[in-house]
Amino acid sequence: MKITSIKTFIVPPRWCFLKIETDEGVVGWGEPVIEGKAATVATAVDELSDYLIGKDPAFIEDHWNVMYRGGFYRGGPILMSAIAGIDQALWDIKGKVMGQPIHALLGGACRTSMKTYSWVGGDRPADVANAVRERIAQGFDSVKLNGAQELQIVDSHKKIDEIVETISTVRDAAPDVNIGVDFHGRVHKPMVKTLVKALEPFNLMFIEEPVLSENFEAIRDIASNTHTPIALGERLYSRWDFKNILASGYVDIIQPDLSHAGGITECRKIASMAEAYDIALAPHCPLGPIALAACLHVDAVSYNAFIQEQSVGIHYNAGADLLDYITNKEVFDVEDGMMKLPQGPGLGVDVDEEFVKKMAETGHNWKNPVWRHKDGSVAEW
Ligand SMILES: [Mg+2]
């Protein structure tokens, strides 16, 4: 079998899909994207295609090594997202050729379903609390919310009080729910210790990116001052980015993104490395159906996977939801806060190609907002 073409489709709300075709008619789908740089990643896919066209898609490990090692320069969000999408599509092809779901080819699932959490939004504490109650009514026992808006490197304590008020209102409304709080790297070292201390009484499931993961020395300070689990990893792209963090012992949960960190091949290895340090896995996935399916296959075979992010119906996706792009929508049904593992061959999602093509005519040029502090300096989004 030979790869005959690799096409990308830039589709709303902010995604990029990829289709690999072969001379035997088997096709594979992938999702190579970094949010805000979709066209750049598509160009990187195009550059990698020069090597892949004409090759046998079966040799995933070798193709991965050529894409990673063969170009001299390596790593980073653009290249690793391009490799990720191609890798997912190669696994999709392999599964379809073998008539097996990818998790079966990775050794077989070690669980029957995967716990998932839902995002909750809302600007005021009461709105957030109501949104959490709605999620509980839908069967979720775990939620995640944004923890902070703009915070300058040293900001007013009032902003910490506001964050605490929101979390406290949610905790009162839902005493038994597991709460993850994502700080998006918006907090800086001088204020983070006070913030984390103030959140301790709420027994959070985790705090995510309490500071940016590149400010790792600050993570060390947080870890030695709190019992709240620390999660990070959506902005790390390979085993080499994760290795010092895993070995440090300061992080409790890692969140590699299956569309940013080299795909199924690489994230499976990152998950295994984490397992050897007793660190949990919670793959990052605010993306589309191909990325989510890829996550579930890695979750299926990773003993340390404990919860899966997903974006069904979240605020980012207005007008083009994850389920709109596939015909077997039931594959992502959530029951009692759990998703079943995909059982169809390959990724197990049936991509609606006509819909993908139609949406690619519109495309998108999604960029995250640029926030500024009161003094005019740019803020972390
Ligand atoms: Mg996050």
Side-chain angles (χ1 to χ4, degrees), residues 84-101:
I86 291 170
D87 179 84
Q88 293 162 0
L90 293 174
W91 276 106
D92 195 25
I93 290 171
K94 187 178 283 290
K96 287 170 178 168
V97 169
M98 311 289 275
Q100 295 285 330

Side-chain angles (χ1 to χ4, degrees), residues 144 182 184 208 234:
K144 188 166 95 177
D182 188 352
H184 251 226
E208 175 172 331
E234 69 191 68

Side-chain angles (χ1 to χ4, degrees), residues 13 73 101 106 256 368:
Y73 297 102
L106 293 172
N368 62 254

